[in-house]
Amino acid sequence: RMLLVLVRARAHQHEQHPVFLHFIPILCRLCSDKFISEAPRMDALCMLAAICRQSIPACVLFAEQDGVALIKSFLNCDSGRSLFNWNVIVAAVDAVWSCVVPHEPSAVQFCNIGGIGAMLDVLEVCPDRMQPQLLACLSDFLRLPQAAQRFHLWVGLGTQKHAVQLLLGMWRREALRCGVISEDGLLVRIDRPFAGFEGQSLCVEKLFGVFRRIGHEFDYLTPAERVCMHAIVNYSKFMEGAVWQDMWQELADENLRPVSPDAEMMQDALAATSRLAEHARADQRSLIDAVRQNEQEVLDNFFAGIKRAQQQAEIIKLAGQTSILQAHRDARLWKEQMMRRAAQRTWNGSSVKGEVAALIQGTATTESHEPPSPAVVAQQYGSQFEISLPLPSSGELVAQ
């Protein structure tokens, strides 16, 4: 720790002693030793960051000691206890920023071994106080095409969102906290849209730096995220208008009046900022109205489908009831007809006995040589005429 204080003091004075370069191999071995506690390893990372800051020879020596892969291992979210020790991760990000970013070959190697994805994994779960450091480091990395490509390919494990959506969510939370936007995402103020960020947020400037590198047009954004993007696109112009307002207020406080050309230029700049804010807010409102209209159409279609299903169910139910009633009506009519024919038919025991004997004789001759049982006769003949008679035995019927 005494060496760390010395190195930091030299780095603060923009001086670098050549003997510090000999510390780099020792410090790399110290960081790679898993049996050493985290506190000395964290101090070693801080010393590496202080030595390599603004020193390309130190960055080259650090890369020769396989320091890029070593420092990336501290950013893995599956690295056990270091996941919950944010102080170690802060020191690792500082070392990445000082030892890897200034040296382009090391930066490319860091991107190729998954360093950008590891930093985004940390950014997804880290506390808010760590976000400005990570965002600034990412912004410096994104000057490389390899870093931008890995950035756009990343998808969060916990949220399943793209990196751009992760950053937009961070911006929205900060804007709501500072009172810059409403719950719908609309800008609250027109004269000075980002007044709430002034002195209250360190993250917004870093977010704008990242978006300046990656652009603003993405097809996979939701309508709410597009509303936020409309405000981010005009960040620099809104802040320029705030500067003109501050200058005008300072002149008014000192009882100074600018000359007419300067006053006209300042007034034009302030009016242009207000018009820009009004246009941005109108675009946001149109997006919000379109979203609400789509949601209302979805709800209307949903409830219309439910209503159609209920109507169809009622139709089917009525059809089923009608068919059941018709069946009962047909059965009643059939029964009445049978009873009417039975009533009109003159009962003659001999004739019935003759018919039964003929039926039995036919059944006996066609199906078997034995006379059928009384149950068969009752089933085949008695049910036909809906009568109940004491049937004699088969032998008697044959004899008769």
Side-chain angles (χ1 to χ4, degrees):
R1 293 197 174 185
M2 293 175 61
L3 287 173
L4 176 60
V5 173
L6 177 61
V7 170
R8 283 180 172 174
R10 288 281 188 170
H12 182 70
Q13 298 174 2
H14 301 286
E15 298 179 3
Q16 194 67 271
H17 199 280
V19 74
F20 290 162
L21 297 178
H22 298 286
F23 292 168
I24 293 178
I26 301 173
L27 294 173
C28 288
R29 288 197 297 270
L30 179 63
C31 291
S32 62
D33 193 348
K34 303 294 185 180
F35 297 99
I36 299 177
S37 61
E38 289 180 346
R41 296 171 70 190
M42 183 178 65
D43 294 336
L45 289 173
C46 295
M47 285 188 65
L48 286 171
I51 292 171
C52 294
R53 188 174 292 117
Q54 298 179 354
S55 176
I56 297 299
C59 294
V60 173
L61 182 58
F62 177 78
E64 292 175 353
Q65 299 296 321
D66 199 16
V68 178
L70 171 64
I71 205 168
K72 190 260 177 185
S73 64
F74 283 90
L75 300 175
N76 291 334
C77 287
D78 297 333
S79 59
R81 57 181 180 176
S82 64
L83 172 63
F84 305 101
N85 193 342
W86 297 114
N87 294 326
V88 175
I89 297 184
V90 169
V93 174
D94 188 23
V96 170
W97 205 357
S98 301
C99 304
V100 178
V101 173
H103 188 228
E104 186 170 345
S106 299
V108 173
Q109 180 186 357
F110 185 80
C111 296
N112 293 333
I113 63 176
I116 300 298
M119 292 184 69
L120 289 171
D121 290 337
V122 175
L123 183 63
E124 187 181 18
V125 297
C126 71
D128 294 342
R129 63 179 182 272
M130 289 181 58
Q131 293 176 358
Q133 181 194 28
L134 285 164
L135 290 171
C137 187
L138 277 174
S139 179
D140 289 342
F141 264 115
L142 290 173
R143 75 184 191 275
L144 301 173
Q146 296 88 345
Q149 182 181 7
R150 266 73 177 179
F151 179 87
H152 291 297
L153 292 176
W154 181 86
V155 177
L157 296 177
T159 59
Q160 296 297 316
K161 292 184 177 181
H162 294 274
V164 176
Q165 294 174 312
L166 175 65
L167 300 186
L168 284 173
M170 295 169 57
W171 189 92
R172 178 178 173 81
R173 288 192 297 271
E174 282 293 308
L176 287 173
R177 184 180 66 83
C178 298
V180 174
I181 62 174
S182 61
E183 291 293 336
D184 294 335
L186 291 175
L187 293 172
V188 175
R189 295 182 57 177
I190 299 299
D191 56 341
R192 197 172 182 135
F194 288 165
F197 288 141
E198 298 172 7
Q200 298 189 31
S201 177
L202 298 175
C203 185
V204 175
E205 293 84 358
K206 310 300 185 298
L207 285 169
F208 176 73
V210 175
F211 282 113
R212 185 174 58 86
R213 299 277 191 184
I214 62 177
H216 307 93
E217 296 293 333
F218 303 98
D219 297 334
Y220 51 79
L221 297 182
T222 63
E225 293 167 346
R226 294 183 187 277
V227 171
C228 294
M229 188 65 80
H230 269 284
I232 296 174
V233 168
N234 300 311
Y235 175 81
S236 60
K237 296 179 181 179
F238 289 158
M239 298 307 295
E240 181 181 352
V243 172
W244 285 114
Q245 286 182 351
D246 292 339
M247 291 177 62
W248 186 270
Q249 187 63 37
E250 289 175 3
L251 292 174
D253 294 341
E254 296 178 4
N255 293 324
L256 295 176
R257 184 177 180 180
V259 296
S260 297
D262 292 342
E264 291 178 0
M265 182 188 66
M266 295 175 69
Q267 291 292 342
D268 292 340
L270 294 175
T273 303
S274 298
R275 287 195 301 270
L276 181 63
E278 290 177 358
H279 288 314
R281 188 170 182 176
D283 294 338
Q284 289 180 324
R285 189 176 296 278
S286 62
L287 284 172
I288 292 173
D289 292 341
V291 171
R292 289 177 178 174
Q293 184 178 359
N294 292 332
E295 291 177 351
Q296 188 63 37
E297 290 178 357
V298 171
L299 288 176
D300 293 341
N301 294 332
F302 176 72
F303 288 119
I306 293 177
K307 188 174 181 179
R308 286 195 300 270
Q310 291 177 350
Q311 292 176 352
Q312 292 177 358
E314 291 178 358
I315 292 172
I316 293 173
K317 184 177 180 180
L318 291 175
Q321 292 177 354
T322 304
S323 61
I324 292 174
L325 292 175
Q326 186 64 33
H328 283 294
R329 191 179 297 110
D330 295 341
R332 190 180 299 108
L333 291 175
W334 180 82
K335 184 177 181 181
E336 292 176 355
Q337 293 175 0
M338 292 298 296
M339 293 176 66
R340 191 179 299 111
R341 286 198 298 268
Q344 292 175 356
R345 182 167 181 161
T346 303
W347 167 251
N348 187 350
S350 60
S351 62
V352 171
K353 291 180 180 180
E355 292 178 2
V356 172
L359 176 63
I360 295 174
Q361 187 65 29
T363 304
T365 55
T366 55
E367 294 184 356
S368 63
H369 298 285
E370 296 181 358
S373 63
V376 174
V377 175
Q379 182 179 0
Q380 296 182 356
Y381 191 79
S383 60
Q384 180 179 358
F385 292 95
E386 296 186 352
I387 57 175
S388 177
L389 295 175
L391 296 177
S393 61
S394 300
E396 295 176 355
L397 289 173
V398 171
Q400 292 178 4

